Amino acid sequence: MPIVSIIIGVILLLLLMMVLKLNAFISLIIASLVVGILEGMSPAEAMTSVQNGLGSSLGSLTMVIIFGAVLGKLMTDSGGAQRIATTMLNAFGHKRVQLASVITAGVVGIALFFETGVVVLIPLVFTIAAAAGVPILYIGIPVITALITMHGFVPPHPGPTAIAEVFGASIGETLIWGILIAIPAIIVAGPLFTKLFKKEDLEVEIPKGLFNPKTFEEHEMPSFTTSIITAILPVILIAIKSIVELAAPESAIRPFTDFVGTASTALLISVIIAMFTFGLNRGKSMKEVMNSFAEATAGIALILLIIAGGGAFKQVLIDSGIDQYIAGLMEDTTLSPIILVWVIGAVLRVALGSATVAGMTAAGIAAPIVAVTGASPELMTLAAGAGSVGFSHVNDAGFWIVKEYFNMSIGKTFKTWTVLTSIISIIGLIGVLILDMFI
């Protein structure tokens, strides 16, 4: 039974890491191989699937994570992050520091992939928390909540955009309803959720190499304009790409915007500019700038390995056909279309880890129902997105990104990240059902 194989794999993974204290990367590889063999793969086939998963995960995320980490390191080493943080604190006040962080992450999250948004905003989270004198997760939880919610609900992110195409939904309407549903989801799973924790539960130790605790003098920091433009340049480039895709898909500039607006390219361009704005123009030598580069990459080496291991685990689940098995179980149910697509998306998310795969598979199963029942394609899109974004655990790369960047234990990651994604998913479903009463 595929479900039994998944359960055994997850239990084995947790035992290796939590009981035997084995490194997460090694544990993920072992668990991946075991699940593949239990599902009928030969050992060689299971290893091939693992290798493909490692390659696909690193291939899509390596440049994003490295360049994002370097951009963040240059920003913190120059005082740019401190300048943005202090300006935000002065504008919003210490009492509304969470609001300032959520607004920033929500705007950034419209254009950036979740992983990109995390690596760009993590240095700001550390800096704002230090400047405001609050626990890191007091700021961090609302920020990652805003990022993952926008990633799951709002076009032009690839997941909701692709799902909208399957259902034949209007991208514009999906974006409007998606933002409307995202707002309460972010508030509940972010700022309100943090109120359930004691102050000491929100404290974490900053990973070495990802943050410079130095306090800069006023004259040492770049201006706010320079700092904010350099910091959000990846957002601007990616947003331009998205706008051209939606507004002028046949435009002659489309090939150029597609290139500069790809996450990896946008971050590379931003790093090159940051070398000047945060480095050379501030009186630093190229050697000092490259030292920041080296420190940033050293700080994320293990993170890359763990994310790759999570990708291997996910690939084995997909290659073994578990997604098709689960989809088959759900096809003949009599649930309402919106609840059906949410349940399929949620179950696949738990089983596979990939929100995009879960959402697309759920949409493929439920798409024919739209024509028969007259269900709103836009709401079906959002229901699939809500189901696929929740219940993140050890087979999701996002779980490991959050765990490692915030230096949390597995147990603490479950209590924070897994719970907040589940809240987002449930609030999203409730929002879709309420809109369905009026649309």
Side-chain angles (χ1 to χ4, degrees), residues 220-248:
E220 294 179 307
M221 296 183 288
S223 68
F224 175 75
T225 302
T226 298
S227 301
I228 195 69
I229 290 177
T230 306
I232 68 170
L233 184 58
V235 181
I236 295 171
L237 293 175
I238 294 171
I240 290 172
K241 172 181 180 289
S242 300
I243 291 169
V244 171
E245 281 179 349
L246 296 175

PDB file of all heavy atoms in Angstrom, residues 220-248:
ATOM      1  N   GLU A 220      27.951  55.455   8.416  1.00  0.00           N
ATOM      2  CA  GLU A 220      28.467  54.223   7.817  1.00  0.00           C
ATOM      3  C   GLU A 220      27.447  53.548   6.903  1.00  0.00           C
ATOM      4  O   GLU A 220      27.810  52.696   6.086  1.00  0.00           O
ATOM      5  CB  GLU A 220      28.883  53.234   8.920  1.00  0.00           C
ATOM      6  CG  GLU A 220      30.054  53.685   9.766  1.00  0.00           C
ATOM      7  CD  GLU A 220      30.388  52.685  10.853  1.00  0.00           C
ATOM      8  OE1 GLU A 220      29.486  52.307  11.628  1.00  0.00           O
ATOM      9  OE2 GLU A 220      31.565  52.275  10.924  1.00  0.00           O
ATOM     10  N   MET A 221      26.195  53.915   7.038  1.00  0.00           N
ATOM     11  CA  MET A 221      25.136  53.223   6.294  1.00  0.00           C
ATOM     12  C   MET A 221      24.815  53.915   4.974  1.00  0.00           C
ATOM     13  O   MET A 221      24.887  55.143   4.886  1.00  0.00           O
ATOM     14  CB  MET A 221      23.867  53.148   7.145  1.00  0.00           C
ATOM     15  CG  MET A 221      23.992  52.330   8.413  1.00  0.00           C
ATOM     16  SD  MET A 221      22.435  52.203   9.320  1.00  0.00           S
ATOM     17  CE  MET A 221      22.267  53.869   9.981  1.00  0.00           C
ATOM     18  N   PRO A 222      24.446  53.139   3.941  1.00  0.00           N
ATOM     19  CA  PRO A 222      23.966  53.764   2.702  1.00  0.00           C
ATOM     20  C   PRO A 222      22.612  54.423   2.952  1.00  0.00           C
ATOM     21  O   PRO A 222      21.965  54.170   3.973  1.00  0.00           O
ATOM     22  CB  PRO A 222      23.833  52.573   1.741  1.00  0.00           C
ATOM     23  CG  PRO A 222      23.673  51.379   2.621  1.00  0.00           C
ATOM     24  CD  PRO A 222      24.458  51.658   3.862  1.00  0.00           C
ATOM     25  N   SER A 223      22.182  55.246   2.014  1.00  0.00           N
ATOM     26  CA  SER A 223      20.894  55.926   2.179  1.00  0.00           C
ATOM     27  C   SER A 223      19.750  54.930   2.102  1.00  0.00           C
ATOM     28  O   SER A 223      19.890  53.814   1.595  1.00  0.00           O
ATOM     29  CB  SER A 223      20.718  56.984   1.084  1.00  0.00           C
ATOM     30  OG  SER A 223      20.567  56.359  -0.179  1.00  0.00           O
ATOM     31  N   PHE A 224      18.586  55.366   2.594  1.00  0.00           N
ATOM     32  CA  PHE A 224      17.415  54.492   2.538  1.00  0.00           C
ATOM     33  C   PHE A 224      17.025  54.196   1.091  1.00  0.00           C
ATOM     34  O   PHE A 224      16.677  53.056   0.755  1.00  0.00           O
ATOM     35  CB  PHE A 224      16.237  55.145   3.266  1.00  0.00           C
ATOM     36  CG  PHE A 224      14.955  54.360   3.148  1.00  0.00           C
ATOM     37  CD1 PHE A 224      14.774  53.193   3.883  1.00  0.00           C
ATOM     38  CD2 PHE A 224      13.933  54.779   2.300  1.00  0.00           C
ATOM     39  CE1 PHE A 224      13.601  52.456   3.771  1.00  0.00           C
ATOM     40  CE2 PHE A 224      12.767  54.054   2.186  1.00  0.00           C
ATOM     41  CZ  PHE A 224      12.594  52.887   2.925  1.00  0.00           C
ATOM     42  N   THR A 225      17.091  55.223   0.239  1.00  0.00           N
ATOM     43  CA  THR A 225      16.728  55.024  -1.173  1.00  0.00           C
ATOM     44  C   THR A 225      17.614  53.980  -1.829  1.00  0.00           C
ATOM     45  O   THR A 225      17.126  53.057  -2.503  1.00  0.00           O
ATOM     46  CB  THR A 225      16.829  56.354  -1.946  1.00  0.00           C
ATOM     47  OG1 THR A 225      15.973  57.322  -1.346  1.00  0.00           O
ATOM     48  CG2 THR A 225      16.434  56.151  -3.405  1.00  0.00           C
ATOM     49  N   THR A 226      18.935  54.122  -1.635  1.00  0.00           N
ATOM     50  CA  THR A 226      19.864  53.142  -2.206  1.00  0.00           C
ATOM     51  C   THR A 226      19.603  51.750  -1.648  1.00  0.00           C
ATOM     52  O   THR A 226      19.577  50.759  -2.385  1.00  0.00           O
ATOM     53  CB  THR A 226      21.318  53.549  -1.895  1.00  0.00           C
ATOM     54  OG1 THR A 226      21.591  54.802  -2.510  1.00  0.00           O
ATOM     55  CG2 THR A 226      22.296  52.507  -2.405  1.00  0.00           C
ATOM     56  N   SER A 227      19.375  51.686  -0.349  1.00  0.00           N
ATOM     57  CA  SER A 227      19.179  50.390   0.306  1.00  0.00           C
ATOM     58  C   SER A 227      17.910  49.704  -0.180  1.00  0.00           C
ATOM     59  O   SER A 227      17.931  48.519  -0.535  1.00  0.00           O
ATOM     60  CB  SER A 227      19.119  50.575   1.829  1.00  0.00           C
ATOM     61  OG  SER A 227      20.298  51.155   2.314  1.00  0.00           O
ATOM     62  N   ILE A 228      16.799  50.436  -0.217  1.00  0.00           N
ATOM     63  CA  ILE A 228      15.525  49.810  -0.558  1.00  0.00           C
ATOM     64  C   ILE A 228      15.470  49.438  -2.032  1.00  0.00           C
ATOM     65  O   ILE A 228      14.948  48.369  -2.397  1.00  0.00           O
ATOM     66  CB  ILE A 228      14.332  50.715  -0.163  1.00  0.00           C
ATOM     67  CG1 ILE A 228      13.025  49.923  -0.184  1.00  0.00           C
ATOM     68  CG2 ILE A 228      14.233  51.922  -1.064  1.00  0.00           C
ATOM     69  CD1 ILE A 228      12.908  48.887   0.891  1.00  0.00           C
ATOM     70  N   ILE A 229      16.012  50.292  -2.910  1.00  0.00           N
ATOM     71  CA  ILE A 229      15.989  49.977  -4.341  1.00  0.00           C
ATOM     72  C   ILE A 229      16.844  48.745  -4.634  1.00  0.00           C
ATOM     73  O   ILE A 229      16.438  47.850  -5.390  1.00  0.00           O
ATOM     74  CB  ILE A 229      16.465  51.179  -5.180  1.00  0.00           C
ATOM     75  CG1 ILE A 229      15.428  52.302  -5.132  1.00  0.00           C
ATOM     76  CG2 ILE A 229      16.734  50.762  -6.623  1.00  0.00           C
ATOM     77  CD1 ILE A 229      15.839  53.562  -5.862  1.00  0.00           C
ATOM     78  N   THR A 230      18.029  48.676  -4.023  1.00  0.00           N
ATOM     79  CA  THR A 230      18.884  47.505  -4.234  1.00  0.00           C
ATOM     80  C   THR A 230      18.222  46.258  -3.674  1.00  0.00           C
ATOM     81  O   THR A 230      18.259  45.185  -4.301  1.00  0.00           O
ATOM     82  CB  THR A 230      20.258  47.702  -3.561  1.00  0.00           C
ATOM     83  OG1 THR A 230      20.843  48.925  -4.017  1.00  0.00           O
ATOM     84  CG2 THR A 230      21.187  46.551  -3.894  1.00  0.00           C
ATOM     85  N   ALA A 231      17.602  46.373  -2.520  1.00  0.00           N
ATOM     86  CA  ALA A 231      16.985  45.212  -1.869  1.00  0.00           C
ATOM     87  C   ALA A 231      15.801  44.673  -2.656  1.00  0.00           C
ATOM     88  O   ALA A 231      15.610  43.452  -2.751  1.00  0.00           O
ATOM     89  CB  ALA A 231      16.555  45.570  -0.452  1.00  0.00           C
ATOM     90  N   ILE A 232      14.982  45.579  -3.224  1.00  0.00           N
ATOM     91  CA  ILE A 232      13.779  45.113  -3.923  1.00  0.00           C
ATOM     92  C   ILE A 232      13.972  45.021  -5.423  1.00  0.00           C
ATOM     93  O   ILE A 232      13.015  44.738  -6.148  1.00  0.00           O
ATOM     94  CB  ILE A 232      12.567  46.016  -3.606  1.00  0.00           C
ATOM     95  CG1 ILE A 232      12.749  47.417  -4.216  1.00  0.00           C
ATOM     96  CG2 ILE A 232      12.313  46.090  -2.120  1.00  0.00           C
ATOM     97  CD1 ILE A 232      11.499  48.286  -4.152  1.00  0.00           C
ATOM     98  N   LEU A 233      15.200  45.232  -5.920  1.00  0.00           N
ATOM     99  CA  LEU A 233      15.439  45.131  -7.355  1.00  0.00           C
ATOM    100  C   LEU A 233      15.002  43.783  -7.925  1.00  0.00           C
ATOM    101  O   LEU A 233      14.405  43.742  -9.011  1.00  0.00           O
ATOM    102  CB  LEU A 233      16.913  45.396  -7.667  1.00  0.00           C
ATOM    103  CG  LEU A 233      17.290  45.412  -9.158  1.00  0.00           C
ATOM    104  CD1 LEU A 233      16.469  46.464  -9.914  1.00  0.00           C
ATOM    105  CD2 LEU A 233      18.782  45.674  -9.331  1.00  0.00           C
ATOM    106  N   PRO A 234      15.256  42.646  -7.232  1.00  0.00           N
ATOM    107  CA  PRO A 234      14.750  41.376  -7.770  1.00  0.00           C
ATOM    108  C   PRO A 234      13.230  41.388  -7.914  1.00  0.00           C
ATOM    109  O   PRO A 234      12.688  40.856  -8.893  1.00  0.00           O
ATOM    110  CB  PRO A 234      15.193  40.344  -6.726  1.00  0.00           C
ATOM    111  CG  PRO A 234      16.295  40.988  -5.981  1.00  0.00           C
ATOM    112  CD  PRO A 234      16.006  42.456  -5.991  1.00  0.00           C
ATOM    113  N   VAL A 235      12.550  42.009  -6.956  1.00  0.00           N
ATOM    114  CA  VAL A 235      11.088  42.096  -7.009  1.00  0.00           C
ATOM    115  C   VAL A 235      10.654  42.899  -8.226  1.00  0.00           C
ATOM    116  O   VAL A 235       9.730  42.517  -8.956  1.00  0.00           O
ATOM    117  CB  VAL A 235      10.543  42.761  -5.726  1.00  0.00           C
ATOM    118  CG1 VAL A 235       9.025  42.824  -5.758  1.00  0.00           C
ATOM    119  CG2 VAL A 235      11.033  42.020  -4.497  1.00  0.00           C
ATOM    120  N   ILE A 236      11.326  44.016  -8.467  1.00  0.00           N
ATOM    121  CA  ILE A 236      10.979  44.887  -9.592  1.00  0.00           C
ATOM    122  C   ILE A 236      11.159  44.145 -10.917  1.00  0.00           C
ATOM    123  O   ILE A 236      10.286  44.169 -11.793  1.00  0.00           O
ATOM    124  CB  ILE A 236      11.835  46.174  -9.570  1.00  0.00           C
ATOM    125  CG1 ILE A 236      11.512  47.006  -8.326  1.00  0.00           C
ATOM    126  CG2 ILE A 236      11.619  46.992 -10.836  1.00  0.00           C
ATOM    127  CD1 ILE A 236      12.454  48.177  -8.100  1.00  0.00           C
ATOM    128  N   LEU A 237      12.288  43.465 -11.070  1.00  0.00           N
ATOM    129  CA  LEU A 237      12.574  42.760 -12.325  1.00  0.00           C
ATOM    130  C   LEU A 237      11.577  41.625 -12.562  1.00  0.00           C
ATOM    131  O   LEU A 237      11.088  41.436 -13.683  1.00  0.00           O
ATOM    132  CB  LEU A 237      14.000  42.215 -12.298  1.00  0.00           C
ATOM    133  CG  LEU A 237      15.121  43.262 -12.304  1.00  0.00           C
ATOM    134  CD1 LEU A 237      16.480  42.593 -12.147  1.00  0.00           C
ATOM    135  CD2 LEU A 237      15.082  44.091 -13.582  1.00  0.00           C
ATOM    136  N   ILE A 238      11.282  40.870 -11.514  1.00  0.00           N
ATOM    137  CA  ILE A 238      10.335  39.766 -11.653  1.00  0.00           C
ATOM    138  C   ILE A 238       8.923  40.288 -11.903  1.00  0.00           C
ATOM    139  O   ILE A 238       8.157  39.725 -12.687  1.00  0.00           O
ATOM    140  CB  ILE A 238      10.378  38.862 -10.404  1.00  0.00           C
ATOM    141  CG1 ILE A 238      11.743  38.172 -10.319  1.00  0.00           C
ATOM    142  CG2 ILE A 238       9.273  37.818 -10.444  1.00  0.00           C
ATOM    143  CD1 ILE A 238      11.986  37.420  -9.036  1.00  0.00           C
ATOM    144  N   ALA A 239       8.573  41.412 -11.263  1.00  0.00           N
ATOM    145  CA  ALA A 239       7.252  42.009 -11.474  1.00  0.00           C
ATOM    146  C   ALA A 239       7.095  42.495 -12.911  1.00  0.00           C
ATOM    147  O   ALA A 239       6.029  42.331 -13.520  1.00  0.00           O
ATOM    148  CB  ALA A 239       7.044  43.157 -10.495  1.00  0.00           C
ATOM    149  N   ILE A 240       8.150  43.090 -13.463  1.00  0.00           N
ATOM    150  CA  ILE A 240       8.106  43.546 -14.863  1.00  0.00           C
ATOM    151  C   ILE A 240       7.847  42.361 -15.791  1.00  0.00           C
ATOM    152  O   ILE A 240       7.024  42.437 -16.715  1.00  0.00           O
ATOM    153  CB  ILE A 240       9.419  44.263 -15.240  1.00  0.00           C
ATOM    154  CG1 ILE A 240       9.505  45.610 -14.513  1.00  0.00           C
ATOM    155  CG2 ILE A 240       9.516  44.466 -16.752  1.00  0.00           C
ATOM    156  CD1 ILE A 240      10.850  46.302 -14.667  1.00  0.00           C
ATOM    157  N   LYS A 241       8.531  41.269 -15.550  1.00  0.00           N
ATOM    158  CA  LYS A 241       8.321  40.060 -16.351  1.00  0.00           C
ATOM    159  C   LYS A 241       6.859  39.615 -16.282  1.00  0.00           C
ATOM    160  O   LYS A 241       6.235  39.307 -17.315  1.00  0.00           O
ATOM    161  CB  LYS A 241       9.232  38.937 -15.849  1.00  0.00           C
ATOM    162  CG  LYS A 241       8.967  37.560 -16.471  1.00  0.00           C
ATOM    163  CD  LYS A 241       9.912  36.527 -15.887  1.00  0.00           C
ATOM    164  CE  LYS A 241       9.677  35.142 -16.471  1.00  0.00           C
ATOM    165  NZ  LYS A 241       8.416  34.537 -16.002  1.00  0.00           N
ATOM    166  N   SER A 242       6.297  39.603 -15.074  1.00  0.00           N
ATOM    167  CA  SER A 242       4.920  39.157 -14.893  1.00  0.00           C
ATOM    168  C   SER A 242       3.930  40.085 -15.577  1.00  0.00           C
ATOM    169  O   SER A 242       2.963  39.640 -16.201  1.00  0.00           O
ATOM    170  CB  SER A 242       4.598  39.054 -13.398  1.00  0.00           C
ATOM    171  OG  SER A 242       5.458  38.145 -12.756  1.00  0.00           O
ATOM    172  N   ILE A 243       4.171  41.389 -15.480  1.00  0.00           N
ATOM    173  CA  ILE A 243       3.268  42.370 -16.095  1.00  0.00           C
ATOM    174  C   ILE A 243       3.268  42.229 -17.611  1.00  0.00           C
ATOM    175  O   ILE A 243       2.215  42.234 -18.256  1.00  0.00           O
ATOM    176  CB  ILE A 243       3.675  43.802 -15.686  1.00  0.00           C
ATOM    177  CG1 ILE A 243       3.399  44.020 -14.197  1.00  0.00           C
ATOM    178  CG2 ILE A 243       2.919  44.842 -16.522  1.00  0.00           C
ATOM    179  CD1 ILE A 243       3.995  45.299 -13.642  1.00  0.00           C
ATOM    180  N   VAL A 244       4.457  42.059 -18.186  1.00  0.00           N
ATOM    181  CA  VAL A 244       4.555  41.893 -19.646  1.00  0.00           C
ATOM    182  C   VAL A 244       3.868  40.601 -20.079  1.00  0.00           C
ATOM    183  O   VAL A 244       3.168  40.562 -21.091  1.00  0.00           O
ATOM    184  CB  VAL A 244       6.030  41.905 -20.092  1.00  0.00           C
ATOM    185  CG1 VAL A 244       6.151  41.519 -21.569  1.00  0.00           C
ATOM    186  CG2 VAL A 244       6.639  43.285 -19.852  1.00  0.00           C
ATOM    187  N   GLU A 245       4.039  39.536 -19.300  1.00  0.00           N
ATOM    188  CA  GLU A 245       3.392  38.260 -19.627  1.00  0.00           C
ATOM    189  C   GLU A 245       1.877  38.396 -19.686  1.00  0.00           C
ATOM    190  O   GLU A 245       1.222  37.838 -20.563  1.00  0.00           O
ATOM    191  CB  GLU A 245       3.755  37.203 -18.580  1.00  0.00           C
ATOM    192  CG  GLU A 245       5.132  36.593 -18.754  1.00  0.00           C
ATOM    193  CD  GLU A 245       5.425  35.568 -17.675  1.00  0.00           C
ATOM    194  OE1 GLU A 245       4.653  35.483 -16.693  1.00  0.00           O
ATOM    195  OE2 GLU A 245       6.435  34.866 -17.794  1.00  0.00           O
ATOM    196  N   LEU A 246       1.331  39.149 -18.730  1.00  0.00           N
ATOM    197  CA  LEU A 246      -0.122  39.279 -18.644  1.00  0.00           C
ATOM    198  C   LEU A 246      -0.676  40.342 -19.588  1.00  0.00           C
ATOM    199  O   LEU A 246      -1.714  40.146 -20.213  1.00  0.00           O
ATOM    200  CB  LEU A 246      -0.528  39.616 -17.201  1.00  0.00           C
ATOM    201  CG  LEU A 246      -0.230  38.545 -16.143  1.00  0.00           C
ATOM    202  CD1 LEU A 246      -0.559  39.066 -14.747  1.00  0.00           C
ATOM    203  CD2 LEU A 246      -1.026  37.281 -16.431  1.00  0.00           C
ATOM    204  N   ALA A 247       0.026  41.475 -19.692  1.00  0.00           N
ATOM    205  CA  ALA A 247      -0.504  42.613 -20.454  1.00  0.00           C
ATOM    206  C   ALA A 247      -0.119  42.590 -21.929  1.00  0.00           C
ATOM    207  O   ALA A 247      -0.888  43.053 -22.777  1.00  0.00           O
ATOM    208  CB  ALA A 247      -0.032  43.921 -19.817  1.00  0.00           C
ATOM    209  N   ALA A 248       1.069  42.099 -22.241  1.00  0.00           N
ATOM    210  CA  ALA A 248       1.539  42.122 -23.636  1.00  0.00           C
ATOM    211  C   ALA A 248       2.322  40.853 -23.952  1.00  0.00           C
ATOM    212  O   ALA A 248       3.537  40.890 -24.172  1.00  0.00           O
ATOM    213  CB  ALA A 248       2.400  43.360 -23.868  1.00  0.00           C
TER     214      ALA A 248
END
